[in-house]
Structure formats: structure tokens, C-alpha cells
Amino acid sequence: MTLVETPRTRSSEPVLPEAAARPVTEKNRLVGLFEYGLDAPICLTWELTYACNLSCVHCLSSSGRRDPRELTTEEAKGVIDELQRMQVFYVNIGGGEPTVRSDFWELVDYATAHQVGVKFSTNGVKITPEIAKRLAASDYVDVQISLDGATTEVNDHVRGVGSYDTAMRAMQNMADAGFKGFKISVVCTRQNIGQLDEFKAIADRFDAQLRLTRLRPPGRGADVWDELHPTQAQQRELYDWLVLHGEDVLTGDSLFHLSAYGDALPGLNLCGAGRVVCLVDPIGDVYACPFAIHDEFLAGNVRSEGGFAEVWRHSELFTKLRQPQSGGACSSCQFFDICKGGCMAAKFFTGLPLDGPDPECVQGYGEELLKNRKEKQDILPKSSVDHSHRTTRAPRSGMGPVQLTLAHRADLAAPPVSACAEDPLAGFNPAQPPVSACAESPLVEFTLLATSDTVCGCGREGGSACACG
């Protein structure tokens, strides 16, 4: 893996950004190189499906319903082939709930067989004892179970009724199978900052590793940002707690804005969007990062000529992101060198300029801008996709909600033809395999309004050739 068009001096040493006037260390040199981008991402996030059995209020991708245009099994394998050729270390698979996709395990096996490691995020709904044993036997698959409250009350307020019990059951199955070191992923909110010690105790109980990530305002997160994002005092509490626990707790490098309290947290402390990471969504669109699902950050599509490699290496957006970045309003701040102005997506979706301070700037520089934005009642940008269950949000520029109707039904007010039409997990029993292919599909017998072809979760059009009957 090499740098993409890295400027060099006469001594052939890579040129570091202006901010790198700090003492040169191996870590600083590495970060400086990463800012110019690599010819392949270190890792990428791949949302395999928007289908999900939950409707988390802070969902970044507004998931719920499957998009009939999602990549087929063969197209997904083609992307994996590209990642192998590019020597991508591993892929973070998410959704939606990726395990409800009928070919999920086939794609996981294909990736690991082609030297592409897999880490997948799940709400735990399909982590049965049998699946847990299968995962424990693999050396190239890591599992991340989402939990946003150390108690039922806090977790289910955000993730939905029953989601706490589902996650805890999955963790117990993983522990019973002997899978050590799986991840428990927590999105830090105003309601759960006071539970950090309890989260750590849960991780220790299951011999797992705690991973804390930042709440961001894309997707449905925009609707609950003011309610859920931590207060200034809680930001400091979180920082102090992370300093105390060091590298025992992972952050996914998502909390680097907290480094402006004084000392950098473990990690690169760098926005890697379009430089070392990116997102591939279920229909193959490539975005700069998993938190920036908006047309402004859309670099291309893996179905286009040249595939993913062409998008990563030559898209206009990624080329721009790899140029030396101006600190803008933050350049005079003594902490800019370690917080880099914060998160691009957090600024964009709260209506702040990209070269300005983070909305949660710990020095308070974002507060005045947020206040002015609210007083002006500015219209905030929204994510370009929305697959929420029974969404009422009006279509926006970009794709907007996928419009669906029931096959062979003229009356849209009539109930779905089956439970599968509404529920990605219809017929699923954790104690036994799905009763039919229908149980894998959130859209059996649904059709696009513009066509009369039945869309089925088995990957084929409906009719006599359909495995779902």
C-alpha cells in the first residue's frame, strides 16, 4: 500500500502538512503521510443492506427497509475481489442489520477466503449459540455488538423495546462459545455517559472489549441530536475516563475532538475521510466516510467503469480531500494540531462551516456558531437516503425514501400480504434456522411503484423461479 501522489522534497522525504511543525515522531510522520491518502483504504465500512429489525432513533443511515437495488451476491463478491487486489486489510460490515441478508454468511466466508478480514456490527438478533460457535472457530472474523445503555431503560429508549435483552443474549452466546475479545460498541449519549463504569463491567464479564464511539447528527441522528449529544461537562467526564483507561478501551478514533483538552487520546487523531477510510453503501455508492451520507460527499459507485479502485484513486472528491487542509477559523487555536478542527460530518449536519470549529468543540468555539444558526432558524442539511420504517419524511434532493407498494394490491391501505413485508425477521426463531427464505427478506412480494416486477429477498424476481414461492 502506497501514498497517492505524495509531494516530495529534493531529499525524497514526504512533505508533511503545515500543522506538522511539531516535534517529528514516528506517529506524527505516519499521520502526516496519511493526510495525503493511500492508494487503498486501510479499512472501509460496507453497509450490506438497509434492512433492519430495529429503528434506532440515532441511526446514521436511517435504516429499516431494504433497497431493492442493493448489490447482488455476485456484485458483492466482485467488490471483495477488488479489495483483495488492493490489499485492503479488513472491512467493517454493517447496515441496517447485515445478518438479515440471506447471503451474509456466504459473503463473510468469501471475504475471509480471499484474505480480506471481516469485522461486522450487529444488534445481536441472529447470534444464536450455533452461530456463536461458528464465529469462535474463525480467525479472520471479529464481531461488534451494539449496546447504547448499560441498563434496559437507557438502551431501549434509543434502540427499541427488547433490544437490550437481545444484545445481552448474543453476548452470553458469544462468551459460552469461547469467543474472547469480541467488541461491545457504545454510542456515547447524554443518557449513558454516567454508565461508563457499568459498560466496562459488562465487557469484563463477557471477556469482551469495550468500544466507545461518538454520537453524530447524520440520518435520524439529526432529529435527536439536541436531546442526546453529551453536555460540555459530560465531554470532560468522558475524556477523563478515557485517559484513565488508556488503550483498554477502543474509540475507533472517533473522539479525537476531545484531545483539545490537552493531551491526545490513543489513535491517529485524524479525520480519515477519503484518505484512509470510506463507506460503500448497499447500492454501491461510495461516500467519504460512514457519517457523511450526503450528495456532497458522494465520490462514485462501484458499479461504474473501473469499479471501487477507480473511485478511490481518481474521484474528484477524494483528490480534493487529500490536499493540505486549511484550519480556517481554527488555525489560530493552539489545539488545532491535535484535534484538526473536529469531525467533518458533525459540522456539516449541524450547519457549521467545514473549516470552522466542531459543534462539540471542547474549548467552546462551536457554541456561538450553533446559537447563531438556531436564532436564524437555518434549514439543516439532511442525509441523502432514508429507508426508515413507515417514514413520513418528505423526499429530498438525492434518492430520498424508496417508494414501495404491495404486489397485486390496488389498495395501499390494505395490510401487508405477509409479516415478511414489514419485518426482516418474520419467522426467525433464535433456537432454529429460518423457516423459509421469506424469513430472510424484509421485502418479500413488494414491488417498485415504477415497475410490476416483484422484488424478493432471495435475489430473484418473483414468480415460479422464486425460492420464496
Side-chain angles (χ1 to χ4, degrees), residues 127-129 132-133 168-178 206:
I127 305 299
T128 62
K133 291 176 183 177
M168 296 299 285
R169 181 175 60 245
M171 293 179 207
Q172 188 63 62
N173 290 340
M174 295 288 284
D176 291 345
F206 292 115

Side-chain angles (χ1 to χ4, degrees), residues 16 61 79 82-83 118 150 188 256 274 312 380 384-385 405 411:
L16 301 185
S61 57
V79 172
E82 277 198 89
L83 301 183
V118 171
C188 296
F256 60 89
W312 176 262
L380 300 181
S384 298
V385 298
T405 188
D411 182 7

Side-chain angles (χ1 to χ4, degrees), residues 416-424 426-427 438 441-442:
V417 292
S418 69
C420 294
E422 288 290 329
D423 185 3
C438 181
S441 169

Side-chain angles (χ1 to χ4, degrees), residues 369-409:
L369 291 178
L370 285 175
K371 181 181 178 181
N372 293 338
R373 184 263 296 167
K374 290 179 179 179
E375 289 177 350
K376 295 178 182 178
Q377 296 183 330
D378 291 342
I379 298 176
L380 300 181
K382 297 289 187 180
S383 297
S384 298
V385 298
D386 190 341
H387 291 77
S388 302
H389 292 294
R390 301 183 182 88
T391 180
T392 57
R393 186 177 293 170
R396 302 179 296 273
S397 60
M399 188 184 72
V402 177
Q403 294 180 307
L404 301 165
T405 188
L406 298 176
H408 313 304
R409 293 267 191 173

